[in-house]
């Protein structure tokens, strides 16, 4: 991974939160030629010419300013995935939700406020499909650099991504116009390298050289667009110790299941015979929808004397369609719940919300040929509402009390009850296309039950909430029943910002609505988000001054320029 090309300054504590420092980074969004596979002359959008982009490194409680300058061909936004941004949604980044795009040849100074986050997060573009190549790590160290709840000798950041054969903005623009499936990626990459199983890529595999007996911390980031992944290292066990910027009870396993949007901190001890071992990402595909069933491999190689020309050993990972192993990994995760890192699971729920999650179809407009199923258009919805983003930001409209931009009528339950995971063939698949937001009072203790449905090509949905991490208190197959509440884990459930909703199953999450503002919630499979599997949570201000949204910065991107 390339070194950061911008600049970093540390200022005095005058401007700091608690013990934190203030850091400055400089991001330049621009088109850059990247050699990949057999391509020689195609440019992609990058930050500072890097794929993946530069790493942000800070300590818990720091404030980070990133001056984002856009010299690319169209407007972009940047999101700091997993950062709560307490009372400051202005820099959160989703296009037309908290800001309008940063126009070409202009800049926006974004303020990232770190509070409770500790571990691995990431940043990425949040407009169209530009995050395919505009993304990078956020590494948040403990306050004094030494108080990790585990020991290791060395750390490495690993970013899994998807590579496309043509411009990703053109891909999604074409797909939305035709109503059909967007292009599939043609390769997966580890830290920008596709590995030695692809054409024109021999010798390009990302590799790590290790010393026998040492333990390594892998900070794994899934920045991919549309495919969930299994990961493993041949003949080596993994110990998962963190996820989404929070610590976990150590979980020993021989594979991971990680969805787009998630991050995991994983310990690996080099305790095998010195040699070369493949580390592999392999897709998990539990759907009839088109999928990229390639794999990508890096090399975990020991130093010392042995035959370095031997082919590396392959790991044994679950099969592409192994739903059981995918689910069995996820349900084992537990928060650390120690004295230093306690779990504070809400137990006095004041707001209970059920959201049916569906892949839908919309009728083809008159006098148009559509390429979706049965000549219709692909769509997706939450509670039968397919989200339509307005032309200005919802946050701007909310803060300035502008009327007519959104409706405050997103329902707390699906519009009608049916056998969500059963035979839905008699039900219409069209959803209402509109801009609905879910209004939540400050300090409410919220439970959201995501309910998968059997519409369209049902599959696992990684659901992500901006502005919050949440506790995953329950998960299962089939339709949710109130009787499952007694089986919830309210002691040490994982504390995450992205969770997989099992195919034709349910997931229950809890959080306290203590962060006022406008916060996007969406599926992190990019095709589903583009089709409308999104909504917005508007959390109202509290009564006290420190419970209200902070004023906007003066250099917010204008909404009159695309």
């Amino acid at each position: 991974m390339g070194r950061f090309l911008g600049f970093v300054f540390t200022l005095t504590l005058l401007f700091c939160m608690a013990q934190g420092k203030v850091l400055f980074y400089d991001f330049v969004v621009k088109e850059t030629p990247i050699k990949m596979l057999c391509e020689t002359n195609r440019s992609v959008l990058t930050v500072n010419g890097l794929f993946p982009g530069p790493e942000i490194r800070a300590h818990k409680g720091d404030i980070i300013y990133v001056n984002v300058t856009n010299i690319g061909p169209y407007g972009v936004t940047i999101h700091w995935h997993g950062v709560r941004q307490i009372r400051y949604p202005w820099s959160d980044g989703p296009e037309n939700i908290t800001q309008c795009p940063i126009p070409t040849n202009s800049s926006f100074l974004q303020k990232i406020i770190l509070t409770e986050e500790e571990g691995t997060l990431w940043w990425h573009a949040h407009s169209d499909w530009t995050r395919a190549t505009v993304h990078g790590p956020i590494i948040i160290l403990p306050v004094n650099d030494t108080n990790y709840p585990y020991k290791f000798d060395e750390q490495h950041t690993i970013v899994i991504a998807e590579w496309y054969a043509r411009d990703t903005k053109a891909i999604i623009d074409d797909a939305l116009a035709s109503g059909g499936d967007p292009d599939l990626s043609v390769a997966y990459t580890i830290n920008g390298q596709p590995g030695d199983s692809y054409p024109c890529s021999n010798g390009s595999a990302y590799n790590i050289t290790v010393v026998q007996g040492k333990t390594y911390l892998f900070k794994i980031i899934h920045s991919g667009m549309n495919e969930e992944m299994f990961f493993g290292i041949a003949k080596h066990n993994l110990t998962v110790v963190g996820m989404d910027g929070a610590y976990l009870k150590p979980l020993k396993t021989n594979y991971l299941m990680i969805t787009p949007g998630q991050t995991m901190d994983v310990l690996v001890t080099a305790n095998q015979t010195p040699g070369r071992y493949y580390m592999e990402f392999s897709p998990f595909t539990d759907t009839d929808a088109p999928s990229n069933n390639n794999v990508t491999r890096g090399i975990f190689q020991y130093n010392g004397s042995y035959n370095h020309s031997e082919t590396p050993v392959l790991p044994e990972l679950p099969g592409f369609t192994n739903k059981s192993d995918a689910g069995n990994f996820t349900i084992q995760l537990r928060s650390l719940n120690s004295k230093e890192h306690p779990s504070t699971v809400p137990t006095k729920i004041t707001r209970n919300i059920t959201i049916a999650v569906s892949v839908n179809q919309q009728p083809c407009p008159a006098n148009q040929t559509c390429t979706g199923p049965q000549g219709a258009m692909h769509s997706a919805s939450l509670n039968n509402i397919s989200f339509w983003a307005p032309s200005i930001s919802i946050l701007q409209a909310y803060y300035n009390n502008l009327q007519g931009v959104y409706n405050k009528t997103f329902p707390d339950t699906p519009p009608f009850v049916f056998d969500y995971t059963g035979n839905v063939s008699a039900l219409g698949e069209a959803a209402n296309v509109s801009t609905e937001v879910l209004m939540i009072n400050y300090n409410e203790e919220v439970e959201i039950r995501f309910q998968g449905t059997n519409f369209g090509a049902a599959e696992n949905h990684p659901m992500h909430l901006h502005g919050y991490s949440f506790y995953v208190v329950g998960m299962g197959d089939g339709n949710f029943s109130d009787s499952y509440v007694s089986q919830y884990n309210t002691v040490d459930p994982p504390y995450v910002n992205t969770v997989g909703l099992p195919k034709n199953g349910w997931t229950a999450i809890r959080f306290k609505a203590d962060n006022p503002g406008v916060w996007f919630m969406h599926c992190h499979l990019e095709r589903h988000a583009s089709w409308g599997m999104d909504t917005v949570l508007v959390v109202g201000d509290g009564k006290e001054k420190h419970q209200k949204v902070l004023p906007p910065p003066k250099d917010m991107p204008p909404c009159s320029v695309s």
Side-chain angles (χ1 to χ4, degrees):
M1 188 175 299
R3 296 183 62 187
F4 176 54
L5 301 182
F7 57 92
V8 183
F9 297 100
T10 303
L11 301 183
T12 69
L13 293 179
L14 177 63
F15 304 102
C16 298
M17 290 180 56
Q19 72 282 353
K21 297 179 180 179
V22 177
L23 308 173
F24 279 79
Y25 284 78
D26 194 35
F27 279 15
V28 178
V29 181
K30 61 181 180 179
E31 289 198 312
T32 303
I34 301 289
K35 291 184 179 180
M36 190 71 66
L37 306 180
C38 303
E39 300 175 83
T40 57
N41 58 1
R42 187 164 70 91
S43 293
V44 298
L45 209 62
T46 69
V47 167
N48 297 348
L50 301 175
F51 171 69
E55 179 178 284
I56 290 176
R57 186 168 285 257
H59 288 82
K60 181 178 180 180
D62 287 351
I63 293 179
I64 306 164
Y65 286 92
V66 181
N67 188 49
V68 180
T69 300
N70 179 21
I71 58 174
Y74 41 76
V76 296
T77 67
I78 304 291
H79 167 54
W80 319 98
H81 185 113
V83 178
R84 293 199 60 196
Q85 294 288 74
I86 299 295
R87 300 172 55 212
Y88 199 74
W90 304 102
S91 285
D92 190 50
E95 182 176 14
N96 292 344
I97 306 301
T98 61
Q99 69 172 85
C100 291
I102 304 167
T104 298
N105 298 321
S106 65
S107 299
F108 178 33
L109 183 64
Q110 294 189 246
K111 180 180 181 180
I112 300 104
I113 302 172
L114 300 179
T115 49
E116 64 186 29
E117 305 88 353
E118 188 171 330
T120 305
L121 298 175
W122 64 301
W123 58 265
H124 60 82
H126 214 304
S127 46
D128 300 305
W129 275 27
T130 49
R131 78 171 171 92
T133 53
V134 179
H135 59 253
I138 303 175
I139 307 301
I140 306 171
L141 308 173
V143 171
N144 62 11
D145 257 347
T146 60
N147 60 344
Y148 290 93
Y150 47 80
K151 294 181 179 180
F152 61 94
D153 298 296
E154 191 176 305
Q155 60 181 285
H156 297 272
T157 303
I158 295 178
V159 181
I160 174 71
E162 293 184 61
W163 184 262
Y164 289 81
R166 64 188 184 107
D167 178 72
T168 52
K169 186 177 187 303
I171 288 173
I172 189 56
D173 286 349
D174 292 348
L176 293 177
S178 70
D181 285 298
D183 295 3
L184 294 176
S185 59
V186 295
Y188 302 110
T189 62
I190 300 174
N191 288 354
Q193 302 296 329
D196 56 16
S197 63
Y198 291 94
C200 308
S201 64
N202 288 339
S204 71
Y206 176 73
N207 65 79
I208 295 172
T209 300
V210 300
V211 176
Q212 191 175 33
K214 288 192 174 183
T215 297
Y216 297 83
L217 173 63
F218 283 7
K219 294 177 168 293
I220 300 175
I221 298 165
H222 192 338
S223 70
M225 301 288 280
N226 289 304
E227 306 293 351
E228 294 140 322
M229 308 294 285
F230 292 115
F231 172 76
I233 303 174
K235 296 188 179 301
H236 289 77
N237 288 325
L238 311 173
T239 302
V240 189
V241 293
M243 186 173 178
D244 286 3
Y247 294 116
L248 295 172
K249 285 184 172 68
L251 171 65
K252 292 184 178 180
T253 178
N254 57 8
Y255 71 94
L256 309 178
M257 189 280 192
I258 185 168
T259 72
Q262 289 181 333
T263 69
M264 291 185 185
D265 293 337
V266 180
L267 298 177
V268 185
T269 299
N271 57 8
Q272 297 299 304
T273 302
R276 303 172 78 226
Y277 300 84
Y278 274 126
M279 47 187 180
E280 181 175 282
F281 285 95
S282 172
F284 164 56
T285 55
D286 63 345
T287 177
D288 295 330
S291 300
N292 175 357
N293 286 337
N294 292 309
V295 302
T296 182
R297 298 176 184 134
I299 300 174
F300 188 84
Q301 60 185 14
Y302 286 69
N303 72 349
S305 299
Y306 58 89
N307 185 357
H308 287 255
S309 64
E310 285 188 355
T311 301
V313 181
L314 280 169
E316 296 180 3
L317 292 178
F320 290 163
T321 59
N322 195 325
K323 182 177 184 290
S324 175
D325 279 0
N328 287 342
F329 170 79
T330 302
I331 62 174
Q332 295 180 74
L333 301 172
R334 298 286 186 271
S335 288
L336 185 58
N337 193 25
S338 65
K339 180 179 179 181
E340 296 79 14
H341 305 281
S343 295
T344 55
V345 186
T347 57
K348 298 179 180 179
I349 301 302
T350 58
R351 185 76 175 276
N352 217 313
I353 300 162
T354 299
I355 297 179
V357 181
S358 303
V359 175
N360 306 93
Q361 297 176 21
Q362 299 292 352
C364 189
N367 302 317
Q368 181 177 331
T369 299
C370 296
T371 59
Q374 293 83 48
M377 302 187 76
H378 278 299
S379 178
S381 66
L382 299 177
N383 275 354
N384 207 44
I385 296 170
S386 187
F387 184 80
W388 180 264
S391 57
I392 70 168
S393 85
I394 291 177
L395 175 58
Q396 174 183 328
Y398 167 72
Y399 191 80
N400 295 297
N401 198 28
L402 303 179
Q403 302 301 307
V405 176
Y406 60 88
N407 300 315
K408 303 177 182 179
T409 50
F410 188 91
D412 279 11
T413 57
F416 60 95
V417 176
F418 59 97
D419 182 3
Y420 302 106
T421 59
N423 186 344
V424 295
S425 59
L427 302 173
E429 293 194 21
N432 298 317
V433 180
S434 59
T435 309
E436 312 288 337
V437 307
L438 181 58
M439 305 298 295
I440 295 177
N441 295 324
Y442 184 81
N443 257 356
E444 282 199 282
E445 296 197 1
V446 181
E447 178 172 320
I448 297 179
R449 299 165 182 174
F450 294 110
Q451 174 65 63
T453 68
N454 203 24
F455 285 112
E459 64 181 298
N460 188 296
H461 299 287
M463 302 303 298
H464 172 51
L465 175 58
H466 293 222
Y468 288 88
S469 286
F470 47 77
Y471 290 98
V472 182
V473 293
M475 178 181 294
D477 293 325
N479 297 332
F480 179 84
S481 167
D482 286 336
S483 64
Y484 299 155
V485 174
S486 63
Q487 303 169 32
Y488 281 179
N489 176 9
T490 58
V491 176
D492 59 356
Y495 187 58
V496 299
N497 61 63
T498 305
V499 64
L501 167 63
K503 175 182 178 179
N504 284 333
W506 60 273
T507 297
I509 68 171
R510 289 183 174 183
F511 62 94
K512 188 171 185 178
D514 57 1
N515 188 15
V518 170
W519 306 110
F520 203 28
M521 184 170 71
H522 60 95
C523 179
H524 227 277
L525 300 182
E526 205 65 18
R527 65 183 185 276
H528 291 171
S530 299
W531 292 340
M533 195 176 284
D534 328 280
T535 192
V536 172
L537 274 61
V538 177
V539 178
D541 285 341
K543 295 180 180 180
E544 306 297 327
K545 184 178 180 180
H546 67 276
Q547 299 173 337
K548 300 181 186 298
V549 173
L550 293 165
K554 294 181 179 179
D555 63 339
M556 285 296 295
C559 287
S560 59
V561 178
S562 176

